[in-house]
Structures are given as structure tokens and as C-alpha cells.
Amino acid sequence: MSASSTGHAERARLRAAEEAAERIGTTLDARTTCTELARFVCRSLCDAATVELLPDDAVPDGAVPDDATPDDAVPAVAEHTAADPAAAVARATLHRVATEGRAHLLEVDRGGAPAPVSVPLLAHGHLHGVLRAARADGGFTADETATLQHAARLAAVHLAHARRHAAARRTALDLQRALLAEPGRPHPNVELATRYLPAERGALVGGDWCETIRLHYGRTLLVMGDVMGHGLEAAVEMSAYRSALRYVASAELPPHRVLRQLDAVVARDDRRRPATCLLAQLDPARSIASFASAGHLPPVVFGADGSARLLAVPAGPPLGTGAGGYELVTSALTPADTLLMFTDGLVERRGEDIDASLSRLAGLRLPAGAAPADLLDEALRRLGGRHVEDDVAVLAARIRGR
């Protein structure tokens, strides 16, 4: 091979490596990475490709035994076929190889028949799966095989990162759930339902929380709070706020005085993060609810016909400022009404004014007579609460009829 041809081949491999780095591993989602790998190799190297992954629990910590082979992989999680009609031959060959379990590692064949290759997805000594590729006009040259290997190694590194991220996320969410636990049980005269939904993106954990505290004379204090910021520190702060609130609420003060004392307690420690908080004290015997807010979004009440109305609760300063200034608001709450308390992740959307977000919630008309749990699920579905960028904590409560 001439020096000119060698230089041209090296430049081609460099361009292929640069393109692979640009197109493979754009997210921390393993399936997306597999799809990107299959699409990349089908752009210029083959006519059909599949990517198969070993299960996460193949061995502890995602490691793979030394005797593991590409054929230990599970069925394809991603596949791609070129637009050329002849690619159907290559795709059929791949399906036959996968079905019969016959894969020839890095086979080079220019005999004219589809000769699939199986490239292991290896990273840091761990096997994550296999890339299978085939072309309709024969096998692969040494340069093409090298490019397939490079793309497979690159994808494997991203898959390792994705699996470590997923494991860390599961651990963090378990911690979040342990910190949140289940809210306390209200009096039997209150029907309650809660949901906590972690954000799909961004920080692993946050500071959203809810709580219920039994009081004397059949009353129940409902709490919805949100520590500012995200991450493990916010989750730990949330737990501290929750403990302090339980202590202050044991004196059975009106909601605005509970916030005042809690604010004073928190303000003594300048390391504490500020937090918003909404309190609602339900009094079933009198069919009323008393509210006080520390910078939190107002609650919503759904009537017997399923229509919603926002309650005007003045929002005082967030907790931790030491400013105080919380007001008490009382509203009728009958057994036909359902009270909804929530954190901002339920309604806020990027680039949208908060008034518009609250108006969208107030415009909901949910099924009349739905149980609190069903009402919560329907509100989350209509507001897209399961696909938001921030954590969501939401609580629905209804006074039981005598």
C-alpha cells in the first residue's frame, strides 16, 4: 500500500472515530446508547445491526465472569437497518445468527455472502453485551472491523457510565423514600392519599416532603414543604425540618403560630437552607380548614362536581429567614370537598409564568365523587406530573362524613 493510500485510510479512521464520539453516548440512558451505536454503524459500515445487552444483575456490581461470551446476551435492545432494500438480506442474516446462536467474532469475509460479525461491548474488563453487524455484499475489511471495534468500545464505556448512574440513582431514591417514609396517620375522620414522584432528570434527590400530625379533638394538621435546592443536602435538610415541625406542632398551636415558631427555630442556625411550607389544620367536627403559608403555593379544593378553586392563602416569607409575618385563613371544607396540596413541581413549567401554571390546575375538572387516591392519579396524568423536571409531592385529603 502506498504512503498516499495509508494516509487516506488513517484520515478516514480518524473521521470515523470523531463521528462516533459525537453520535454515541449523548445521554446516560443505556437503550439510547445502544440505538445510537446501531445507527452509527449502519451509516457507512453495514446494512443491518443489532445491539444486545447482558442484564444488569448478571453478576454483582455489573461485573461479568471471565468466561462470559457475546452469546450470553439477552435479546436485542436496539436494532437498525439501512434504507437500501438489499439490507433486508443482512437483517435476515442477523436474525438467523441470533436465533441459532452462531456468531463469528470479527470475521472478515469477502466471499459475497452476508457474513455477520459479533463485536463484544467491553469496557474496563467488563462485558456489557454484543454488537452484531452484517452487510448484504459480503464481509468486512480490516479497517472496517477496526472501526466497528472502536465504536463498540466507545459505546461500552458509555454503557458502564449509564449503569453506574442508574445504580447511584436507585440508591439515592431509596434514601429519599427512607427519609420521606409514609406521612403520619391522620384521624379516622380524614381520608388521605399522597404521592411522591422524583424528577426524571437533574438531581437525584430533592427536598419535597409532606406530613400529617394528629391533634386533639379529632383535628389533623396537614403539611406540605419544599426545601430550596436539590441533592442529598436538601434531602437531609428536609428530614431536619420535618422533625422540628413535629416538635413545634405538638403544642397544638394554630397554623400561623406553628410557622412562626418553626421559623424562629430554623433561623437560629445559619447553615439551614430556607424552605417553603403550607399548613392546613382540618377540623371535621366544624367542617372547616385553617391555613397558613410560608412562601408556598396555595392549595386547591375540588368540589362535589369535580370543579377546582384556588384558595387565597397569603404567602409569608420562607422558613429560615426569621422574618415571621404569617397569616391565618379559614375556609369551609365539607365531606364533599377534596383538598389538594402540592409542591411546585406539579404545576411549574420552564418559561411559563406561575399564574398561568396555577390557572391550568384551577381549570381542571376531575371526575365527580372520585376517591382522593383516584383524584391524585388523574390530576397527575392530566398535568403530566410523571414527566416533569422537578420533584413532585402531592397530598389529597377529604373529611369523612359522619
Side-chain angles (χ1 to χ4, degrees):
M1 181 181 293
S2 67
S4 176
S5 299
T6 301
H8 177 75
E10 290 177 350
R11 287 192 296 273
R13 284 197 295 270
L14 179 59
R15 286 195 298 270
E18 291 175 344
E19 185 179 1
E22 180 72 20
R23 294 180 177 275
I24 300 173
T26 62
T27 72
L28 283 173
D29 180 73
R31 288 183 175 271
T32 300
T33 298
C34 292
T35 300
E36 291 169 345
L37 173 61
R39 287 175 177 171
F40 169 76
V41 298
C42 280
R43 286 173 60 85
S44 58
L45 295 173
C46 62
D47 296 310
T50 62
V51 181
E52 303 162 19
L53 289 180
L54 285 164
D56 289 339
D57 57 355
V59 294
D61 299 326
V64 177
D66 293 336
D67 59 350
T69 68
D71 288 321
D72 294 325
V74 299
V77 298
E79 61 181 10
H80 193 75
T81 305
D84 189 343
V89 177
R91 183 173 183 176
T93 301
L94 281 185
H95 283 209
R96 175 179 56 79
V97 169
T99 301
E100 297 177 4
R102 292 190 291 107
H104 307 288
L105 187 62
L106 300 179
E107 179 179 347
V108 179
D109 181 7
R110 278 296 187 184
V117 298
S118 294
V119 187
L121 303 179
L122 285 168
H124 311 301
H126 291 169
L127 178 66
H128 294 275
V130 59
L131 163 68
R132 303 189 195 275
R135 61 197 311 174
D137 62 351
F140 298 85
T141 66
D143 285 344
E144 292 168 339
T145 295
T147 301
L148 286 172
Q149 287 179 301
H150 173 78
R153 283 197 300 270
L154 179 63
V157 170
H158 287 295
L159 288 172
H161 292 165
R163 284 179 164 171
R164 283 196 294 270
H165 174 77
R169 180 176 176 83
R170 285 193 296 270
T171 300
L173 291 178
D174 288 343
L175 172 62
Q176 175 80 328
R177 294 187 182 98
L179 290 173
L180 277 172
E182 286 294 324
R185 296 177 63 185
H187 281 285
N189 54 20
V190 174
E191 187 177 0
L192 184 76
T194 62
R195 299 285 186 273
Y196 171 75
L197 303 176
E200 288 196 330
R201 299 180 178 86
L204 296 177
V205 293
D208 295 22
W209 57 288
C210 60
E211 181 63 281
T212 66
I213 301 172
R214 286 194 183 198
L215 304 175
H216 287 98
Y217 310 113
R219 296 170 301 155
T220 296
L221 182 67
L222 306 180
V223 186
M224 183 63 61
D226 187 358
V227 177
M228 294 184 182
H230 294 87
L232 183 59
E233 295 83 358
V236 173
E237 285 290 308
M238 172 267 292
S239 182
Y241 268 102
R242 191 175 184 181
S243 297
L245 176 70
R246 288 171 177 167
Y247 173 75
V248 174
S250 64
E252 304 214 13
L253 299 171
H256 65 302
R257 294 185 60 189
V258 172
L259 290 180
R260 188 184 307 163
Q261 290 206 15
L262 183 59
D263 177 55
V265 169
V266 175
R268 296 191 191 110
D269 187 350
D270 56 8
R271 295 171 299 176
R272 287 286 182 85
R273 296 187 178 198
T276 66
C277 186
L278 175 66
L279 301 184
Q281 188 182 100
L282 304 191
D283 189 343
R286 297 192 294 165
S287 294
I288 62 172
S290 302
F291 300 91
S293 172
H296 203 85
L297 294 177
V300 173
V301 173
F302 288 91
D305 62 352
S307 61
R309 73 179 190 276
L310 284 170
L311 296 183
V313 180
L319 297 173
T321 63
Y326 306 109
E327 299 181 38
L328 185 69
V329 173
T330 301
S331 175
L333 192 71
T334 71
D337 299 323
T338 303
L339 175 68
L340 186 72
M341 300 166 63
F342 52 91
T343 55
D344 53 11
L346 178 67
V347 294
E348 285 188 346
R349 300 295 179 265
R350 184 177 299 178
E352 182 181 70
D353 184 80
I354 187 60
D355 290 334
S357 303
L358 291 174
S359 295
R360 181 172 58 250
L361 172 59
L364 291 181
R365 194 178 186 92
L366 301 181
D374 296 333
L375 185 146
L376 273 190
D377 292 336
E378 183 65 14
L380 287 169
R381 185 186 69 81
R382 295 195 190 182
L383 294 173
R386 299 187 182 275
H387 305 283
V388 296
E389 298 180 353
D390 196 4
D391 295 352
V392 175
V394 60
L395 174 155
R398 178 184 299 163
I399 293 175
R400 295 184 188 272
R402 292 187 180 182

